[in-house]
Amino acid sequence: MYDQTRAQQPADRPVGLGERSSPGHDPLIPSDGREKVVRRLGHAVNAFADAPREALEEAESAFDEATEALLKALTERRRVLRAGWQDQDPETQSTELRLALREYREITGRLLRA
């Protein structure tokens, strides 16, 4: 049966298949990747006065690295999420489908708010 109350829960509460009740957001990009990009951007900002073109090239490269890491992380999340519901028995999949829908909604909402 469709549970309207549960379906209307805020999209900012992640409900992954492995961690159904954990509060907050898991980062879309792993921390080591984020830290590396932040360091590179910081270096670009600090180097701008002495070498503006090289600083911009570094900033662009950091941007490319961040978008690549984000795409990789989102692709992996999609793969894991899809594996959790795609081949389930139709009699038992209602709950998993609802959880998967909520996770898709939460991730998509985060991307749209970014």
Side-chain angles (χ1 to χ4, degrees):
M1 174 182 252
Y2 178 74
D3 185 345
Q4 186 173 3
T5 303
R6 289 183 85 185
Q8 292 177 347
Q9 289 181 352
D12 61 346
R13 280 188 63 198
V15 182
L17 296 176
E19 299 179 55
R20 287 178 174 63
S21 61
S22 62
H25 293 296
D26 290 336
L28 294 175
I29 299 175
S31 63
D32 59 333
R34 285 191 323 272
E35 291 170 9
K36 183 178 177 185
V37 171
V38 167
R39 278 194 308 274
R40 292 183 67 196
L41 283 174
H43 181 264
V45 169
N46 291 332
F48 183 79
D50 296 328
R53 182 168 299 278
E54 289 83 2
L56 287 172
E57 288 171 355
E58 176 141 14
E60 180 181 46
S61 178
F63 177 83
D64 291 344
E65 186 176 334
T67 57
E68 183 179 321
L70 179 60
L71 182 58
K72 182 179 176 182
L74 290 172
T75 300
E76 176 61 14
R77 274 201 172 176
R78 180 181 183 271
R79 184 193 66 74
V80 169
L81 194 54
R82 179 174 262 258
W85 64 264
Q86 187 175 25
D87 295 325
Q88 290 206 359
D89 177 17
E91 295 297 319
T92 60
Q93 69 183 0
S94 178
T95 300
E96 291 300 316
L97 292 174
R98 181 174 49 253
L99 294 172
L101 177 61
R102 286 173 51 191
E103 181 70 10
Y104 281 125
R105 181 183 70 180
E106 186 271 328
I107 292 170
T108 303
R110 287 173 64 191
L111 289 170
L112 294 174
R113 287 187 300 273

